Amino acid sequence: MATKIGRRDFFNGVAIGGSGLLLQGFGTDVKALAAAPNGSSPAPNSLSPSTYYPPTLTGMRGSHKGSFEVAHALAWRGEKPARYQSLGEHYDLVVVGAGMSGLATAWYYRKKMGPDVRILLLDNHDDFGGHAKRNEFHHNGRMMLCLGGAQNLEAPNDYSKTAAQLMNDIGIDEDFIAAMDQQTPADMVLAGKFDADNGIALPGANGHVVIGGNWFAAMFGGEGYASTVRKLPIARSEQDKLIAFFGGTQDFLAGLSLSEKWRYINTVSYNQFLLEKVGLEESTLPILNAVIVHMGGVSGWHLTVAEAISNVASGINSMGWVGKTLASLGGSILDSVIQVRMFPDGNASIARLLTQKLIPDVAPTMQGPEDVAIAHFDYSELDINGRSTRMRLNSTVVGVREVEKKRVEVDYVSGGKALRVTANSCVLACYNNLIPHLCPEMPERQKEGLNYGVKTPFVYASVLLENGHAFAKLGATFFQCPYDTFQWVSCAPTMTVGGYEPPRGPDDPMVLCLMHSPMTGPKGNLTGREQLRLGRHKIYTTPFASYEAQIRSQLQALMGAQGFDHEKDILAVMVNRIPHGYAYPYLALDDPEWKKGQAPHEIGRAQFGRISIANSDSEALALMDAAFDAAWRAVEEQT
Ligand SMILES: Cc1cc2nc3c(=O)[nH]c(=O)nc-3n(C[C@H](O)[C@H](O)[C@H](O)COP(=O)(O)OP(=O)(O)OC[C@H]3O[C@@H](n4cnc5c(N)ncnc54)[C@H](O)[C@@H]3O)c2cc1C
């Protein structure tokens, strides 16, 4: 989940920070990759209907082994194969990246140019959807879903006309959005039901102290907030400050003039405000940061007070008139949060719907959104010779160039082979930072624009439990865990949307969904972008075994008092590593306010002959509809 209101909605900013950090050494030699078949990346034509089904794979998912080595060799060491085997395949359009933007590009292009156009989508992962990944478990005859990344339709009523049309094309219209709400249980906090109980869990003497009620509401001075805060296992003096802060009984900016207040909230970090104005101890900050790292991907050290409030941080009540002004903004944020709608596998269902529209044989009996969650997908149908649209997974593009202004050559590495296809046009729906390496001929200024932003890293884990007894006793479906590696623990989505039959009670097996952000440390002298790179490095260098150990000890601490035994009760773990997550939204503390058209992402997304750029980076907005809008723009440029 990310909020719709970003940097561009706020004023001010200070100087740009320093240069990037050099990250060393965890790639495989691309020459070795080209020489030897890669065990974890089957060649596309070897996808078998019975064996190739990535949503059920456990262990390290997301940026999995085999997906990133070729791209890292290119980006870090400038290495790529010297020669490519031409496949003799020519397409009207080649799309690099089969995430939301790539899928939407293919759909818009086909809609505009007719059903017979030849399209090839290439993606380096073993599954389609990009950030929107499906996690699927089977146990005791029951199929259970969870999300491996992008969560929900956020404020679908606010989508652009073209994005809304795409949603309509795949069957998600106003009626279906209303039905989704009906099919979502009232306690499903993860799906936007913020009236439901949600708790907070802090380390205590014997495992975690778990506090129920509605913690979100308490953070905004909701009913019983003071008694809820009194239950936190922190010093009474810190409780006193939190009570004053949540309750809005005090204006913490009272000593400042009107203009000073406005300047303060737009130039000082939220965490600095908490320390110097609210008077909290540094050790209390995680309690107020857990929600921000999830919504915005960075901590309160990197956001101004105003930006943090836009990411649903508390404090709106406690800044006198400034808070009241921001409250109107807060209202629009809440509107967008309340409009959330969700499939049981998150936005992976949208990726499935688009994929089936493009390649119907992948799920020939699927009706649409009403059965998308349970439809069987046959991945061996994705890349069939002779079909108008084809999708080739496990294929990392390493070069894209226009030849004689007549066609585009696209080089990629798949299954250890260096291959080439040609096209009339190419849309790059991949990460901005990689594009200068794919198209070194681009103007330097454009490459600088593409290199500027740094995507936000995350880890989402899905954990299959033998039953739901211990979790049910905690009294809510969702908990913030500010002092743990995984800052949020939620019951996996239990809506019946998409034909899904969720677990019905504690006797059934259940799935937990956990979210980790590595962006919680102190800021030091680093810019947000530098720290985002470090966060990415941290998750690339953390092995699956460490995440699993952390998950086990955290869940034991959370539910041990309820009879949970991780050794017996945890049946399977999927860790979705997302090193290249949210698009960079600009940070007021680090970035200047660019004139319209001069922001790095705007310079970077310029059309380059027969090559156009889609993806949410090109909109500097981590939202699915931004990915659709980027796709629309790219298709318009090429048609
Ligand atoms: C954890 C998380 C949660 C989110 N939650 C929400 C949400 O709830 N609602 C919402 O609206 N948005 C959400 N977002 C924002 C999300 O980023 C967008 O919704 C959208 O999915 C982005 O799509 P994209 O196609 O631009 O990028 P991506 O999903 O990143 O897709 C790009 C694809 O290109 C591939 N690629 C990159 N380089 C190459 C190459 N060289 N060769 C081949 N393929 C390549 C990538 O591997 C990837 O598969 C979330 C994002 C994250 C990370």
Side-chain angles (χ1 to χ4, degrees):
M1 192 186 292
T3 50
K4 235 187 165 70
I5 299 178
R7 163 83 175 97
R8 283 172 280 162
D9 300 281
F10 290 97
F11 301 124
N12 298 332
V14 289
I16 312 178
S19 60
L21 298 176
L22 185 64
L23 303 180
Q24 301 284 350
F26 30 95
T28 309
D29 188 329
V30 76
K31 287 176 216 131
L33 277 171
N38 182 338
S40 57
S41 299
N45 291 335
S46 70
L47 308 187
S48 121
S50 53
T51 56
Y52 191 91
Y53 190 66
T56 51
L57 294 175
T58 54
M60 190 66 93
R61 303 293 302 139
S63 188
H64 57 80
K65 189 164 177 283
S67 67
F68 55 84
E69 294 85 347
V70 171
H72 285 179
L74 175 64
W76 299 350
R77 302 190 292 278
E79 291 175 3
K80 62 177 177 173
R83 276 187 293 284
Y84 297 84
Q85 178 197 340
S86 171
L87 291 177
E89 294 176 10
H90 182 78
Y91 296 88
D92 295 295
L93 175 70
V94 168
V95 184
V96 180
M100 284 307 169
S101 209
L103 293 166
T105 298
W107 178 247
Y108 286 135
Y109 188 86
R110 200 175 102 159
K111 229 184 139 192
K112 186 161 182 188
M113 304 304 285
D116 297 331
V117 286
R118 290 152 306 160
I119 302 174
L120 174 67
L121 295 115
L122 295 165
D123 197 284
N124 57 322
H125 285 102
D126 61 9
D127 203 352
F128 54 80
H131 295 154
K133 286 273 156 60
R134 173 180 172 102
N135 285 178
E136 179 178 325
F137 295 96
H138 292 261
H139 183 58
N140 284 350
R142 179 178 281 281
M143 185 263 279
M144 280 154 295
L145 293 174
C146 196
L147 45 140
Q151 290 177 214
N152 50 48
L153 321 184
E154 218 158 299
N157 302 342
D158 279 353
Y159 281 16
S160 66
K161 231 167 119 184
T162 48
Q165 183 57 53
L166 179 146
M167 295 295 273
N168 266 279
D169 292 345
I170 57 174
I172 301 179
D173 54 18
E174 274 183 25
D175 288 347
F176 191 80
I177 287 169
M180 289 175 88
D181 195 34
Q182 299 296 313
Q183 292 165 2
T184 302
D187 65 358
M188 199 66 250
V189 177
L190 193 63
K193 302 287 183 186
F194 289 104
D195 283 349
D197 282 354
N198 62 84
I200 182 165
L202 274 67
N206 301 304
H208 280 13
V209 175
V210 181
I211 296 153
N214 187 334
W215 175 248
F216 276 142
M219 289 177 85
F220 290 89
E223 202 184 327
Y225 73 95
S227 58
T228 303
V229 170
R230 286 284 176 228
K231 292 181 195 151
L232 295 173
I234 57 175
R236 192 168 176 91
S237 54
E238 290 298 283
Q239 293 175 352
D240 292 341
K241 290 175 222 163
L242 282 181
I243 288 169
F245 185 56
F246 291 166
T249 49
Q250 193 179 332
D251 175 1
F252 287 96
L253 298 179
L256 303 180
S257 70
L258 296 187
S259 60
E260 283 169 345
K261 275 188 177 178
W262 192 246
R263 187 173 152 68
Y264 186 93
I265 65 163
N266 282 292
T267 56
V268 174
S269 82
Y270 179 67
N271 281 358
Q272 191 61 33
F273 161 68
L274 296 177
L275 293 178
E276 74 185 13
K277 298 291 184 193
V278 185
L280 290 167
E281 297 290 332
E282 193 154 350
S283 57
T284 307
L285 299 187
I287 295 175
L288 294 148
N289 276 208
V291 66
I292 314 174
V293 289
H294 180 67
M295 291 291 185
V298 292
S299 76
W301 287 115
H302 296 287
L303 299 176
T304 61
V305 179
E307 285 173 325
I309 299 285
S310 82
N311 281 294
V312 202
S314 51
I316 218 160
N317 296 331
S318 308
M319 289 179 287
W321 75 269
V322 174
K324 295 199 174 43
T325 308
L326 284 179
S328 56
L329 181 57
S332 62
I333 296 159
L334 281 180
D335 282 351
S336 83
V337 171
I338 283 160
Q339 277 182 44
V340 160
R341 299 288 183 277
M342 192 170 180
F343 283 92
D345 56 359
N347 287 352
S349 275
I350 309 290
R352 294 182 124 217
L353 286 163
L354 273 166
T355 300
Q356 196 254 9
K357 274 278 176 200
L358 291 163
I359 309 171
D361 286 316
V362 75
T365 58
M366 187 179 104
Q367 302 296 304
E370 59 272 33
D371 61 349
V372 62
I374 51 170
H376 172 68
F377 268 53
D378 180 351
Y379 281 66
S380 69
E381 295 288 337
L382 287 175
D383 187 13
I384 300 289
N385 196 3
R387 293 241 176 94
S388 59
T389 302
R390 301 170 71 172
M391 186 191 295
R392 204 160 286 167
L393 300 171
N394 303 301
S395 302
T396 306
V397 173
V398 290
V400 179
R401 85 199 64 81
E402 197 180 43
V403 182
E404 295 164 353
K405 297 200 182 299
K406 287 189 184 137
R407 62 181 192 285
V408 184
E409 283 180 351
V410 180
D411 300 336
Y412 68 95
V413 176
S414 182
K417 294 194 177 117
L419 304 166
R420 175 170 297 161
V421 294
T422 57
N424 296 340
S425 297
C426 179
V427 170
L428 302 174
C430 53
Y431 315 140
N432 265 5
N433 288 175
L434 194 63
I435 294 175
H437 302 285
L438 303 184
C439 308
E441 302 83 8
M442 272 181 176
E444 287 308 312
R445 187 159 180 262
Q446 180 167 9
K447 287 197 266 183
E448 276 169 28
L450 290 162
N451 270 329
Y452 188 86
V454 181
K455 286 165 105 48
T456 308
F458 284 104
V459 177
Y460 276 36
S462 301
V463 183
L464 176 66
L465 303 184
E466 177 69 44
N467 59 59
H469 289 153
F471 191 79
K473 287 183 201 151
L474 296 178
T477 64
F478 182 97
F479 295 88
Q480 292 188 48
C481 305
Y483 295 95
D484 286 299
T485 302
F486 289 84
Q487 293 97 349
W488 282 22
V489 175
S490 169
C491 162
T494 54
M495 62 284 288
T496 54
V497 178
Y500 182 52
E501 175 64 30
R504 286 292 175 200
D507 289 342
D508 285 342
M510 80 170 293
V511 177
L512 292 179
C513 170
L514 286 71
M515 190 283 303
H516 162 62
S517 162
M519 293 299 296
T520 48
K523 183 176 188 310
N525 294 325
L526 299 177
T527 64
R529 289 183 296 146
E530 287 166 337
Q531 212 163 38
L532 285 164
R533 284 194 189 92
L534 285 179
R536 182 198 301 168
H537 181 256
K538 191 169 162 197
I539 67 171
Y540 264 126
T541 50
T542 304
F544 173 77
S546 299
Y547 285 123
E548 184 182 4
Q550 284 159 358
I551 288 166
R552 287 181 178 278
S553 73
Q554 181 174 343
L555 293 183
Q556 192 61 44
L558 184 69
M559 299 188 286
Q562 319 300 335
F564 181 78
D565 175 354
H566 74 92
E567 297 215 3
K568 171 162 81 54
D569 291 330
I570 293 181
L571 301 180
V573 177
M574 295 177 185
V575 170
N576 304 273
R577 182 166 61 177
I578 313 170
H580 304 274
Y582 286 176
Y584 184 70
Y586 300 113
L587 300 169
L589 291 172
D590 296 337
D591 301 315
E593 188 69 26
W594 281 279
K595 289 202 181 96
K596 195 169 162 37
Q598 294 304 307
H601 73 284
E602 293 171 311
I603 293 167
R605 72 189 180 200
Q607 181 178 357
F608 187 56
R610 289 174 176 265
I611 302 166
S612 281
I613 295 170
N615 79 46
S616 50
D617 289 345
S618 71
E619 298 289 317
L621 207 50
L623 286 167
M624 184 170 69
D625 51 316
F628 293 164
D629 291 343
W632 173 262
R633 174 182 36 73
V635 168
E636 286 296 289
E637 286 170 4
Q638 291 298 327
T639 49

